[in-house]
Amino acid sequence: MLQGGLVYPSGPGCYYYLPPAVRAMEKLVKVVDGEMQAVGGQKLNMPSLSSAELWRASGRWDGMGPELFRLVDRHDKAYCLAPTHEEAVTELVAAQSNLSYKQLPLRLYQVTRKFRDEPKPRFGLLRSREFYMKDMYTFDASEEAARQTYDLVCDAYCSLFDRLGLPFVKVQAATGSIGGTVSHEFQLPADIGEDRLLLCPNGHFAANVEMLNGERTSCPTCGEKLTQSKGIEVGHTFYLGTKYSSISNAVFCSPKNKPQLAEMGCYGLGITRILAASIEVLSTEDSIRWPSLIAPYQLCFIPPKRGSKEEEEGVTLLERVYDDLAEVLPHLAGDSVLDDRTQLTIGKRLKDANKLGYPYVVIAGKRVCEDPPVFEVWNQNAGEVLFLTKEGVIELLSKVQVP
């Protein structure tokens, strides 16, 4: 990501996100928004500064230890930079004094910067001290309804990773500092992953090793020996029950007109972590590969080298392809890059395009002088090279999705 000009380090575990990384991240957030809104999610935005009183009430001011960034304002009031927002959102819902069961379920989410004072920030965006997360918090009228919400959001996560083409596993997980009674992690299997997973080869069982205290070696369903694998955690879901609603007194009015505590769940997705982890699992040794849906740019045009005999013809034809494309597929016009460093050979620019991972590269090479002119098109994710006329190029690109 450093070599590709996606990020630049500013200090331990803190990065500048450069324009291509921001484009990819904004696309990812759009896809996430779609999945969250499909399950009735409403987007809001909560303050990064969270008061110590809130965190003391839940016991996490002390429980989180040195991972919490703490600060004191000029009036000597203590705050933390929130790594997560269970306390804050529950306080918000508790403040809505006449909430009725008819207004539930409530599914609130945000995509914001979070902060964690990591002892050893490493692996770039995978373990940093400042990162983007999508966190959803749900409020239901009964345990049964809350568990249905839990399954619904887990299914939305599965749908998201399927759409991104990422090979994920959903594993049983420990509840850690968040708490609650049921928890799952969404893991991308990868050699550099910091989590150790135990998986049934037939897909019946999957758990994080920290869940199992080392006593389980075979699948509880089929008896097969469990295999070990490493994973990068990209999502985590928790069924919380009334752990937080009981502290803030987040109640709603039941059908019998009695105040009743809301049943909660919380659901995190590491936005910047998904970016880094998807590059980690999809890329080759020297070339970035993106989930095609969130590549910063879908398309790179490479005109002929300056002074070559196809220069004049090639530049004109490539412009014509772009103009036709902008007319027929306007969503791709803003997703295209022209590599106008025509002092470089096509080969050198193709190598750079390969490194940066544009899903499609359209080259005006020697064959643009044929009749009809033929373009060389690299479909990076499929690993194939096609020779197509202008119409062929447009037909191929009409299948490209942009969020």
Side-chain angles (χ1 to χ4, degrees):
M1 291 181 85
L2 285 168
Q3 283 173 351
L6 296 169
V7 294
Y8 185 79
S10 76
C14 293
Y15 291 86
Y16 296 95
Y17 298 93
L18 302 179
V22 171
R23 282 183 67 93
M25 193 160 79
E26 286 174 347
K27 288 181 175 183
L28 176 56
V29 170
K30 263 192 191 156
V31 182
V32 169
D33 281 340
E35 292 293 347
M36 292 302 98
Q37 284 156 19
V39 295
Q42 300 182 77
K43 199 171 189 177
L44 76 166
N45 207 317
M46 293 183 266
S48 292
L49 280 177
S50 203
S51 81
E53 285 120 59
L54 266 183
W55 285 71
R56 284 199 182 100
S58 68
R60 292 207 295 176
W61 183 259
D62 299 319
M64 292 283 279
E67 285 200 351
L68 214 50
F69 273 112
R70 300 158 202 262
L71 65 155
V72 174
D73 72 6
R74 63 178 73 193
H75 307 296
D76 273 343
K77 276 183 71 87
Y79 293 87
C80 67
L81 287 174
T84 176
H85 280 79
E86 285 76 15
E87 286 85 353
V89 76
T90 315
E91 179 83 346
L92 173 70
V93 170
Q96 315 308 310
S97 52
N98 36 14
L99 195 63
S100 155
Y101 72 95
K102 292 176 183 167
Q103 291 164 283
L104 300 180
L106 200 50
R107 296 172 183 152
L108 304 171
Y109 80 101
Q110 60 177 357
V111 179
T112 56
R113 263 182 206 235
K114 306 291 189 291
F115 302 86
R116 185 159 52 218
D117 196 351
E118 285 285 352
K120 278 198 234 146
R122 57 195 178 281
F123 303 136
L125 301 189
L126 290 181
R127 189 162 287 289
S128 52
R129 305 203 300 170
E130 198 176 324
F131 49 94
Y132 282 88
M133 192 166 94
K134 185 283 310 178
D135 40 330
M136 177 180 254
Y137 305 91
T138 60
F139 298 81
D140 276 278
S142 67
E143 181 177 338
E144 186 192 354
R147 285 178 182 273
Q148 282 174 352
T149 291
Y150 186 88
D151 292 340
L152 198 65
V153 181
C154 283
D155 288 348
Y157 279 20
C158 294
S159 163
L160 172 79
F161 293 122
D162 282 341
R163 285 176 65 194
L164 294 174
L166 294 172
F168 72 97
V169 273
K170 177 184 171 190
V171 305
Q172 295 174 26
T175 54
S177 65
I178 305 270
T181 51
V182 179
S183 173
H184 289 88
E185 287 166 353
F186 291 77
Q187 295 270 358
L188 300 188
D191 293 339
I192 68 152
E194 295 186 274
D195 289 306
R196 288 189 334 188
L197 316 174
L198 283 173
L199 311 172
C200 160
N202 300 323
H204 298 129
F205 177 84
N208 191 317
V209 168
E210 65 186 28
M211 263 290 283
L212 302 174
N213 313 326
E215 71 258 15
R216 183 170 287 290
T217 55
S218 61
C219 172
T221 308
C222 67
E224 281 277 343
K225 188 175 184 311
L226 296 175
T227 57
Q228 276 226 21
S229 133
K230 286 181 167 175
I232 301 169
E233 180 196 332
V234 285
H236 206 152
T237 56
F238 302 83
Y239 167 62
L240 299 170
T242 57
K243 175 181 171 178
Y244 293 94
S245 52
S246 59
I247 296 162
S248 290
N249 199 33
V251 295
F252 64 94
C253 202
S254 74
K256 292 180 178 157
N257 230 0
K258 296 238 171 10
Q260 202 174 314
L261 289 171
E263 294 273 341
M264 288 177 61
C266 67
Y267 311 85
L269 269 184
I271 297 290
T272 36
R273 202 179 244 207
I274 290 172
L275 283 191
S278 54
I279 289 175
E280 180 63 41
V281 301
L282 299 176
S283 298
T284 61
E285 196 49 53
D286 55 358
S287 303
I288 288 178
R289 285 292 171 271
W290 294 92
S292 51
L293 206 51
I294 61 168
Y297 294 93
Q298 286 293 338
L299 198 50
C300 178
F301 288 103
I302 300 182
K305 185 174 191 294
R306 191 182 310 148
S308 63
K309 64 177 190 304
E310 55 272 8
E311 179 184 16
E312 203 175 321
E313 190 85 1
V315 168
T316 312
L317 288 165
L318 211 51
E319 278 187 7
R320 207 168 292 158
V321 172
Y322 176 78
D323 290 343
D324 287 6
L325 185 81
E327 195 175 317
V328 186
L329 307 168
H331 59 287
L332 284 183
D335 243 78
S336 307
V337 168
L338 173 69
D339 190 338
D340 57 1
R341 299 171 301 163
T342 50
Q343 74 279 15
L344 301 177
T345 63
I346 283 179
K348 170 76 183 85
R349 285 176 287 160
L350 178 60
K351 202 172 169 192
D352 282 352
N354 217 334
K355 261 193 189 145
L356 296 172
Y358 300 104
Y360 294 91
V361 183
V362 179
I363 300 168
K366 293 198 173 9
R367 294 187 61 184
V368 290
C369 298
E370 294 178 11
D371 184 22
V374 171
F375 299 91
E376 187 179 326
V377 182
W378 290 65
N379 177 348
Q380 303 286 25
N381 292 350
E384 59 181 12
V385 188
L386 305 163
F387 291 93
L388 302 170
T389 60
K390 183 179 75 172
E391 292 69 26
V393 172
I394 297 214
E395 191 186 337
L396 175 72
L397 296 173
S398 66
K399 300 178 180 68
V400 176
Q401 289 183 309
V402 175

